[in-house]
Amino acid sequence: MSIVHVSDLHREYQQGAVTVKALRGVDLTIEPGEFTALMGPSGSGKTTLLNMIGALDRPTSGKLLVDGKDLASLSSSQLSDLRLHRLGFIFQSYNLIPVLSALENAEFVLQLQGMARDERRKRVRETLAQVGLAGMEDRRPGELSGGQQQRVAVARAIAGKPALVLADEPTANLDSATAQGLIELMEKLNHEHGITFLFATHDPRVMEAAHRVVRMVDGKVAEDLRK
Amino acid sequence: MVVLAMRNLFRNTRRTLITVLAITFGLAMVHLTITLQTGSYADLIRTGVSSMAGHVVVQAKGYQEEKDGDLVLTRTAEISQRLAKAFPEGTIAPRLVLGGLITSPRGSVGAAVSGIDGAAEAKLQEIDEHVVQGTWLTGDARGIVIGRDMADALQVGFGDKVVYMGQHGGATEVSSRLFRVIGIFRMGNADLDGFVAFVDLPAAQEAFGQPDVANQVTVHLPDPNRSPAAAAEARTLLADIDGIEVLDWKQALPELFALIEVDKTSGDVMLFLLGAIVAMGALNTVLMAALERTREFGVMLALGLRPQQLARLILTEGLLLGLMGAGLGLVVGTALSWPLVHYGLDYSAYMGDTYETAGVVLSSVIKGRFNPLRMTTYTIAATFMTAAAAIYPAVQVARLQPVEAMRHT
Ligand SMILES: Nc1ncnc2c1ncn2[C@@H]1O[C@H](COP(=O)(O)OP(=O)(O)OP(=O)(O)O)[C@@H](O)[C@H]1O
Ligand SMILES: [Mg+2]
């Protein structure tokens, strides 16, 4: 079963009198274990598409199945639950809670899932070690570098063992070497643990690493390349 | 959740501290006010009740409404004895007030002459302690104790003779009685010092022209709260005596208690306004703190946090803010009130040794008194007002859409 199945998806925004057509009939299917990069010029609809798949926003029309569920039929609290239990998110930047330590940030999702404290702590320590942050559990985001912060975000995204991790330009604010490290980390997680990733990105290094590159133009899929 | 809320509050330590201190200060003021109010009301009631009424007041029917000095009880001794027996812990004070003229060879003044039981009143009032020359009433049937100003007006001193003249009990003739000044008091109040004189009850009864009469027989109890129950008891006890009315303290002094209620209410309005201002400050803090975290809330919602959970977080922050402020306010307020309770606030520089409220002459050193019930009430109210100030921001954040919130910069 595919994790994501999108067909003829439209999303229009009303901006005053103008209707902005952000998505104009997208068709896309993502299978488990894929490591896919969405690319395309600015304004082509990458973020919009990720938000639809991430159940953060509703399409204007079209079919949208995530983890086998038709999102149109779910209530907003069911969508919350879907995000909490089945999806992981990594955003461009500043997406950690500044007053919580690395460990507390990473365990946030598990806490919401209602996992018992001891199990949670164990899981989070393992996950932080996986992303190379062993020993930095007690640091607050302000005491971590940008790359380390993104690693905490990755740990938070994967700690809950989601079916799909969505990442919107995760490397955009990182320097080249740090970005490379983060990409390798995600590749490793994909390779070793079979975690499915879907990126929106302009970063050529991400496209390099991706197994599949979907190019969007004007709110449509223009090219779908599997390596 | 509580930990997260606490840390959020101390993200901007200065802002939070300012808000907490505003609540602390506001509530401390409230506590001070309450302590002073409670003290002065207690003083007012105690002094007013003991000098002008009692916890049980027995008087001729109609006296309460008409305040006519000729309306008298005719079996004063018997009523006093029965009451003394029924309330052994209390003090029984019969009173007969005569309105007339006091004259000396060198002058005359209009006066209210109180015929009283000197020993009993000495226990109830402070006037005997303010005798500056001579003595308080001794049981001498010719003795009179007058105020300093009256003595000056009459140009008399200790040991001098004065004559009381008045018309009482429906008599057609003016009666007169000779007294000797055995004491001069100074209360520091013009009405008392200029127009009031004290004599022993039998002497006043003679001047009235009828034995065994009094305007009131009053009972003063150690526990003022027993007043209504005691009045009811006395009513049954004296049911066989016609032409009397038995009142409790509130019935006897309705104006005094009404005045206190009005004062209390206007005080409460002030305190409420103070609370509202402080709550606005708290609202500002919580709202600002919430607005500047919109992006962060968007991320939390995206991760699967429910809007209600987010609202609860904001409410918790408000509640914690309130708890800190109210807790500190209670401590600071109590600490500041302490000297008021123990030493009192001395207004004598502005008001002289005494001042008058609602006809009651009070010492100008106002002593505070702790009122745990009201202090607790206001502390809890302050906590909840602050928490309530977080409701609006909480509702706002619960409405956030994750995508829009995250676009927020
Ligand atoms: N909330 C919104 N209201 C109005 N228009 C919007 C909104 N969100 C996106 N758009 C518009 O939809 C189009 C697609 O935007 P989107 O953010 O998906 O592009 P993108 O491919 O992610 O671009 P970038 O590479 O710059 O991030 C743009 O024209 C954008 O202006
Ligand atoms: Mg984008």
Side-chain angles (χ1 to χ4, degrees):
Chain A
M1 187 186 66
S2 344
I3 287 184
V4 176
H5 181 79
V6 172
S7 70
D8 197 26
L9 198 72
H10 291 258
R11 177 61 164 111
E12 297 173 358
Y13 292 105
Q14 206 61 43
Q15 238 177 6
V18 192
T19 305
V20 181
K21 295 186 174 172
L23 298 181
R24 322 164 173 235
V26 174
D27 299 297
L28 183 68
T29 303
I30 308 273
E31 300 299 332
E34 282 190 331
F35 196 73
T36 309
L38 272 178
M39 55 162 291
S42 187
S44 57
K46 304 183 292 295
T47 298
T48 307
L49 181 58
L50 277 195
N51 287 345
M52 298 296 138
I53 296 172
L56 293 169
D57 195 4
R58 289 182 188 271
T60 309
S61 69
K63 202 159 182 58
L64 178 50
L65 293 175
V66 175
D67 197 36
K69 295 188 186 68
D70 184 351
L71 297 196
S73 67
L74 300 185
S75 71
S76 71
S77 59
Q78 285 171 320
L79 293 180
S80 280
D81 272 352
L82 179 81
R83 295 200 295 271
L84 180 59
H85 294 281
R86 304 302 293 154
L87 301 176
F89 292 89
I90 305 165
F91 304 102
Q92 189 170 330
S93 60
Y94 310 116
N95 64 67
L96 299 179
I97 300 164
V99 291
L100 298 183
S101 68
L103 181 116
E104 289 163 338
N105 262 291
E107 76 173 346
F108 186 79
V109 169
L110 300 182
Q111 211 169 351
L112 292 182
Q113 287 179 347
M115 188 182 284
R117 187 191 155 91
D118 288 347
E119 191 189 350
R120 208 166 70 205
R121 287 277 147 122
K122 187 163 161 276
R123 169 94 66 94
V124 168
R125 282 181 194 286
E126 284 168 13
T127 313
L128 284 173
Q130 258 176 22
V131 301
L133 289 177
M136 307 209 184
E137 290 88 349
D138 295 329
R139 296 218 195 156
R140 299 260 179 110
E143 300 160 347
L144 295 169
S145 72
Q148 289 168 335
Q149 287 183 36
Q150 280 307 59
R151 283 166 189 264
V152 176
V154 171
R156 182 179 64 188
I158 65 170
K161 300 207 187 300
L164 170 67
V165 174
L166 299 166
D168 196 354
E169 316 213 20
T171 58
N173 282 2
L174 302 179
D175 64 63
S176 177
T178 314
Q180 193 61 47
L182 190 75
I183 294 163
E184 280 164 17
L185 167 68
M186 292 188 286
E187 255 188 303
K188 188 186 85 176
L189 291 169
N190 172 257
H191 191 70
E192 291 177 6
H193 301 275
I195 299 173
T196 313
F197 280 90
L198 177 60
F199 304 93
T201 187
H202 291 286
D203 191 336
R205 287 171 301 238
V206 177
M207 288 181 260
E208 187 86 5
H211 310 155
R212 178 181 174 194
V213 177
V214 175
R215 198 160 62 83
M216 292 190 66
V217 176
D218 286 341
K220 276 190 225 163
V221 174
E223 189 180 24
D224 190 346
L225 218 96
R226 284 170 206 267
K227 297 183 193 165
Chain B
M1 188 80 128
V2 174
V3 175
L4 183 56
M6 199 61 167
R7 289 196 198 159
N8 281 333
L9 282 177
F10 284 97
R11 241 180 230 215
N12 191 329
T13 309
R14 185 164 31 148
R15 183 173 62 200
T16 300
L17 275 185
I18 288 174
T19 312
V20 167
L21 287 180
I23 301 170
T24 302
F25 180 74
L27 194 61
M29 292 288 296
V30 170
H31 287 320
L32 264 181
T33 311
I34 289 176
T35 304
L36 261 187
Q37 257 190 359
T38 307
S40 62
Y41 292 159
D43 219 28
L44 186 61
I45 292 173
R46 192 170 40 72
T47 314
V49 167
S50 52
S51 65
M52 308 201 305
H55 301 114
V56 178
V57 176
V58 181
Q59 56 195 17
K61 207 177 211 98
Y63 183 76
Q64 187 66 18
E65 280 205 354
E66 293 171 28
K67 287 275 154 20
D68 177 353
D70 283 345
L71 280 173
V72 287
L73 300 164
T74 50
R75 290 156 70 184
T76 304
E78 187 192 342
I79 292 173
S80 301
Q81 276 158 20
R82 285 208 217 166
L83 290 172
K85 212 163 165 195
F87 304 105
E89 77 283 14
T91 302
I92 314 297
R95 292 164 181 168
L96 175 62
V97 181
L98 308 175
L101 209 64
I102 295 180
T103 62
S104 76
R106 284 173 293 272
S108 68
V109 290
V113 176
S114 253
I116 54 175
D117 175 342
E121 299 291 347
K123 275 194 250 170
L124 302 174
Q125 303 192 45
E126 284 169 2
I127 203 146
D128 58 306
E129 291 154 29
H130 288 83
V131 172
V132 290
Q133 207 184 350
T135 62
W136 179 236
L137 294 177
T138 53
D140 173 354
R142 293 281 165 193
I144 188 168
V145 177
I146 62 175
R148 177 78 265 167
D149 298 347
M150 187 188 286
D152 289 346
L154 295 171
Q155 296 185 42
V156 295
F158 176 71
D160 287 345
K161 286 174 183 153
V162 294
V163 173
Y164 166 79
M165 290 191 291
Q167 203 173 3
H168 303 289
T172 48
E173 308 246 313
V174 170
S175 64
S176 67
R177 184 177 171 88
L178 181 77
F179 287 100
R180 213 161 33 78
V181 176
I182 59 168
I184 294 174
F185 66 85
R186 227 202 71 149
M187 286 296 285
N189 174 269
D191 284 343
L192 277 179
D193 292 349
F195 302 101
V196 175
F198 296 95
V199 301
D200 276 298
L201 180 63
Q205 287 169 339
E206 261 178 54
F208 188 86
Q210 225 177 306
D212 207 19
V213 293
N215 296 119
Q216 298 179 322
V217 176
T218 60
V219 182
H220 304 260
L221 300 168
D223 174 10
N225 293 319
R226 272 205 63 212
S227 172
E233 249 176 82
R235 216 165 279 137
T236 328
L237 182 73
L238 303 173
D240 58 315
I241 301 180
D242 288 334
I244 63 168
E245 54 192 20
V246 181
L247 308 179
D248 66 26
W249 59 344
K250 290 190 181 171
Q251 292 164 335
L253 292 174
E255 306 87 4
L256 182 67
F257 285 92
L259 179 100
I260 289 173
E261 277 316 310
V262 169
D263 196 72
K264 223 186 235 172
T265 308
S266 65
D268 278 346
V269 170
M270 289 301 297
L271 296 183
F272 180 80
L273 287 179
L274 186 66
I277 293 169
V278 172
M280 293 294 259
L283 169 65
N284 183 54
T285 301
V286 178
L287 190 60
M288 292 277 289
L291 284 181
E292 67 195 18
R293 282 183 284 158
T294 303
R295 234 195 102 92
E296 191 179 317
F297 293 152
V299 172
M300 288 162 84
L301 290 170
L303 294 177
L305 185 78
R306 300 286 184 89
Q308 309 92 281
Q309 292 175 303
L310 193 53
R312 221 180 302 147
L313 176 69
I314 304 296
L315 286 177
T316 309
E317 291 180 17
L319 189 62
L320 286 175
L321 198 63
L323 279 174
M324 287 190 286
L328 262 178
L330 183 61
V331 172
V332 173
T334 307
L336 290 179
S337 302
W338 194 258
L340 286 183
V341 171
H342 281 261
Y343 305 109
L345 201 56
D346 192 346
Y347 280 112
S348 56
Y350 313 102
M351 307 195 298
D353 289 341
T354 58
Y355 72 103
E356 195 184 315
T357 307
V360 183
V361 176
L362 296 166
S363 158
S364 54
V365 178
I366 300 173
K367 276 206 165 189
R369 183 190 282 203
F370 285 118
N371 188 332
L373 180 68
R374 286 188 83 200
M375 282 170 92
T376 315
T377 310
Y378 274 93
T379 304
I380 294 172
T383 310
F384 278 97
M385 266 171 112
T386 314
I391 290 176
Y392 174 70
V395 169
Q396 292 296 102
V397 301
R399 290 212 187 116
L400 286 175
Q401 293 298 316
V403 177
E404 276 150 42
M406 281 190 292
R407 291 167 126 244
H408 200 276
T409 42

